[in-house]
Amino acid sequence: MTLKDIFQEFVEKDKTAELGGGEKAVEKQKRAGKQTARERIDMLLDDNTFAEIDKFILHDSHNYNMQNKRVPGDGVVSGYGKIEGRLVYVYAYDFTVYGGSLSRTNANKIVKVQKLALKNGAPIIALNDSGGARIQEGVMALSGYSEIFNQNVKSSGVIPQISAILGPCAGGACYSPALTDYIFMVKDESYMFVTGPDVVKTVTHEELTKEELGGASVHSSKSGVAHFVGNDEEETLMMIRELISFLPSNNMEDPPLTTTRDTNTRKTTGIEELIPEDSNIPYDIKQLIEEVVDENYFFEVMSQFAKNVVIGFARMGGQPVGIVANQPAYLAGVLDIDASDKAARFIRFCDCFDIPLITFVDVPGFLPGRDQEHNGIIRHGAKIMYAYVEATVPKITLITRKAYGGAYVVMSSKESGADLNLAYPNSEIAVMGAEGAVNILYRSSNEEERKEAIKEYSNLFSNPYRAAEKGYIDEIILPADTRIKIIQGLEMTANKTASNPPKKHGNSPL
Ligand code: HXC
């Protein structure tokens, strides 16, 4: 064989490997409205930046005549490339090969890129589309999952880990995505469940479709498992690119600064009209956030789940920030179990990756009721407090209207360790609303006396001055100065050094 023949032979082998499970299987994938693993990776990464590793790897299973059915790459495509010029690692299950099922061999491939990503400090993105553990391999496949989960946990808080679900994700396979930082799903195309519809029917006699059991809409609005949903694969992958743009590559790096056309001294004049005179009338906190942040752009996370709290990323003066805000337009912005979980995990993520936290507070309190108490609002609500106190990133808090009771305390109050606490002049900071307070303090008084007492309590507490007198509020500001004051606060805390006492790890309520 000449050298030319050898090179040609390689080119042919390479082509065969890139066909995955073959033309028929690829056609089936297309008929299902799905892209192939390599097409997905190409869409996700900057053009011509993907470098594939382990393309020729083969499984060594002999059960069920498997030794005669070996496909180069064994159903996972893995490697590294770039997003906006920055290094990322990626692996994609190839559904055209044994339904993208996980073998011991392709688990080794995945673990190899996971270790590379961790060692070299760059985000890892998993594109899931898999029938789960390769049935022919038994415990070998299960051990593969264990090792992947093991790496997920070791990488947590060191590099960003992102999962996209672009087809089935069933059984224990759901736990790798669940151990990562963000899960993306595709509308009407992806589903996740620990036990599928058939098992559910046998055990509980419930009849559900895959979509009803674990489709994108269920996980983005009810279970809180998914953080983002795209209308199709392309949109989903573009959302991953966008998320990456806010994040540092690892926990030792600062989040990426960008230039902005917005000025740091822009007045936020729209806020005055946004907040209603009557403090019981709702307004949309997202409009306030958009008014404040660079170029009015807010990248919301978990937009359909626990809408009473809003979380997401934005930039201020080009610096990425994490935003946590009560939403008066949904359940009056009350904190409940789901809102607590949603906010707490986001706060912890931002702290892992040095992203300053900006908290907008307009909260009437924790949601009362048997349902909340019996399901553990105490345990869940405590997570927000734990997350804020533990966070050593710059923390800036602005009370835009109500800040009552325990909810005032947990929403990044001064005493919980915030660096800068601001409030609008219309803020109400108290243990509870005037009517509730009077109902307790003046239980046996007549109507006239109670009216008088409500007025007195309101005068005393329906303002930010008591808190400002004690230094719990550092500055009372006008809404038009919101952007200026928050950017000043970020500059003031830019070189913050803070750390928690040395410990193995804390014991956050779960
Ligand atoms: C081996 C598998 C497979 C698997 C699918 N295939 N899943 N091969 N192991 N787990 C193969 C099919 O035999 C078929 O091969 C090809 O992939 C495409 O599958 P289809 O069934 O034709 O596709 P579709 O109709 O789209 O259905 C997809 C599916 C279904 C819903 C995922 O394949 C399915 O139910 N698979 C089994 C799911 C499952 O129970 N997995 C184990 C979960 S337990 P041919 O040759 O016909 O093209 C688990 C434990 C993990 O994962 C624990 C971790 C802690």
Side-chain angles (χ1 to χ4, degrees):
M1 250 185 166
T2 64
L3 207 52
K4 206 172 155 199
D5 292 336
I6 293 171
F7 291 162
Q8 189 51 38
E9 185 189 46
F10 160 70
V11 170
E12 296 301 326
K13 279 184 183 224
D14 198 56
K15 251 195 218 156
T16 311
E18 295 211 347
L19 259 183
E23 272 163 18
K24 257 192 168 162
V26 171
E27 263 169 41
K28 193 178 165 199
Q29 177 84 345
K30 295 279 172 181
R31 273 202 307 277
K34 300 197 288 182
Q35 305 293 318
T36 64
R38 284 187 180 78
E39 284 168 343
R40 287 166 172 167
I41 290 174
D42 284 345
M43 250 194 286
L44 173 70
L45 300 179
D46 294 349
D47 288 347
N48 304 316
T49 61
F50 181 52
E52 186 172 342
I53 55 180
D54 289 339
K55 200 187 227 176
F56 293 108
I57 223 154
L58 296 172
H59 73 71
D60 49 16
S61 171
H62 283 74
N63 304 322
Y64 298 98
N65 200 26
M66 288 287 279
Q67 69 276 16
N68 295 323
K69 296 187 231 157
R70 302 202 298 173
V71 176
D74 200 32
V76 168
V77 181
S78 64
Y80 52 95
K82 290 190 172 169
I83 289 184
E84 299 288 341
R86 296 167 64 213
L87 177 71
V88 295
Y89 290 83
V90 61
Y91 65 90
Y93 290 90
D94 182 352
F95 195 81
T96 68
V97 181
Y98 296 119
S101 56
L102 190 93
S103 67
R104 184 59 249 194
T105 301
N106 64 30
N108 290 344
K109 272 179 84 160
I110 293 172
V111 171
K112 192 196 254 188
V113 278
Q114 285 182 305
K115 285 185 173 168
L116 280 171
L118 183 60
K119 190 163 65 179
N120 295 296
I124 185 158
I125 301 158
L127 307 181
N128 295 270
D129 184 3
S130 164
R134 188 166 298 168
I135 293 162
Q136 296 89 334
E137 289 203 9
V139 73
M140 297 291 283
L142 297 184
S143 89
Y145 273 123
S146 295
E147 223 180 303
I148 293 168
F149 302 168
N150 187 322
Q151 283 305 315
N152 284 137
V153 175
K154 290 203 171 106
S155 301
S156 181
V158 185
I159 50 170
Q161 300 183 87
I162 293 164
S163 304
I165 316 297
L166 307 171
C169 184
C174 295
Y175 287 108
S176 176
L179 291 167
T180 63
D181 298 303
Y182 292 102
I183 295 181
F184 290 71
M185 293 184 79
V186 186
K187 196 172 158 222
D188 302 328
E189 184 183 303
S190 55
Y191 46 91
M192 299 176 81
F193 34 68
V194 173
T195 44
D198 294 343
V199 177
V200 171
K201 192 175 166 196
T202 313
V203 177
T204 70
H205 308 295
E206 289 167 291
E207 287 201 37
L208 295 156
T209 63
K210 287 189 275 203
E211 184 62 30
E212 286 166 341
L213 188 61
S217 110
V218 168
H219 287 310
S220 59
S221 65
K222 287 195 169 78
S223 71
V225 166
H227 303 85
F228 299 93
V229 177
N231 285 311
D232 54 36
E233 287 188 16
E234 191 172 1
E235 188 180 86
T236 307
L237 298 171
M238 292 311 111
M239 286 159 82
I240 294 178
R241 287 176 64 90
E242 170 135 43
L243 174 62
I244 291 278
S245 77
F246 289 96
L247 311 182
S249 295
N250 58 65
N251 65 335
M252 304 301 281
E253 210 179 69
D254 289 333
L257 283 179
T258 48
T259 46
T260 171
R261 281 172 278 129
D262 216 337
T263 61
N264 289 359
T265 51
R266 173 169 60 78
K267 290 270 184 184
T268 41
T269 42
I271 299 175
E272 240 170 74
E273 281 103 72
L274 180 68
I275 300 180
E277 289 276 329
D278 180 345
S279 69
N280 291 319
I281 293 183
Y283 63 95
D284 184 357
I285 198 73
K286 285 193 242 178
Q287 281 183 29
L288 190 149
I289 296 168
E290 282 163 5
E291 174 84 15
V292 173
V293 298
D294 285 0
E295 292 162 40
N296 313 110
Y297 186 67
F298 177 52
F299 185 60
E300 192 177 357
V301 177
M302 297 182 99
S303 63
Q304 299 305 307
F305 179 73
K307 294 186 198 171
N308 33 335
V309 76
V310 170
I311 56 171
F313 299 99
R315 295 184 179 85
M316 294 289 282
Q319 148 94 56
V321 292
I323 290 181
V324 180
N326 307 115
Q327 171 58 291
Y330 193 84
L331 295 175
V334 77
L335 281 177
D336 60 5
I337 287 172
D338 285 348
S340 302
D341 285 359
K342 174 177 167 180
R345 186 144 200 265
F346 183 71
I347 294 161
R348 299 193 90 200
F349 175 81
C350 290
D351 189 47
C352 286
F353 293 106
D354 246 341
I355 299 169
L357 283 161
I358 298 172
T359 305
F360 294 98
V361 183
D362 188 346
V363 63
F366 278 100
L367 182 63
R370 183 171 59 177
D371 183 46
Q372 288 288 305
E373 295 293 349
H374 287 196
N375 286 300
I377 184 67
I378 296 172
R379 178 163 58 85
H380 294 277
K383 293 178 196 175
I384 307 186
M385 187 69 183
Y386 194 102
Y388 270 124
V389 173
E390 184 188 46
T392 55
V393 287
K395 291 176 278 190
I396 297 171
T397 306
L398 169 66
I399 299 174
T400 62
R401 196 166 64 174
K402 294 176 190 165
Y404 284 116
Y408 155 76
V409 177
V410 305
M411 288 301 292
S412 199
S413 58
K414 173 59 78 195
E415 308 85 313
S416 80
D419 298 293
L420 181 67
N421 291 74
L422 309 170
Y424 289 156
N426 58 302
S427 299
E428 304 167 17
I429 308 172
V431 173
M432 58 175 71
E435 267 185 56
V438 166
N439 280 344
I440 294 167
L441 294 178
Y442 293 81
R443 200 165 272 155
S444 47
S445 302
N446 64 35
E447 201 50 32
E448 206 48 42
E449 287 166 335
R450 286 156 73 95
K451 262 193 197 153
E452 214 29 58
I454 288 173
K455 225 191 267 166
E456 191 192 346
Y457 193 91
S458 298
N459 286 340
L460 205 55
F461 292 114
S462 291
N463 62 65
Y465 298 107
R466 297 292 87 75
E469 278 167 19
K470 299 288 174 203
Y472 306 147
I473 293 296
D474 297 299
E475 195 177 356
I476 300 171
I477 65 165
L478 287 171
D481 294 329
T482 308
R483 177 172 166 82
I484 296 170
K485 291 291 174 186
I486 290 176
I487 289 180
Q488 275 184 341
L490 288 168
E491 288 167 353
M492 186 266 282
T493 52
N495 293 329
K496 178 179 177 185
T497 50
S499 57
N500 290 316
K503 51 184 145 181
K504 189 172 175 189
H505 57 72
N507 186 14
S508 170
L510 292 171

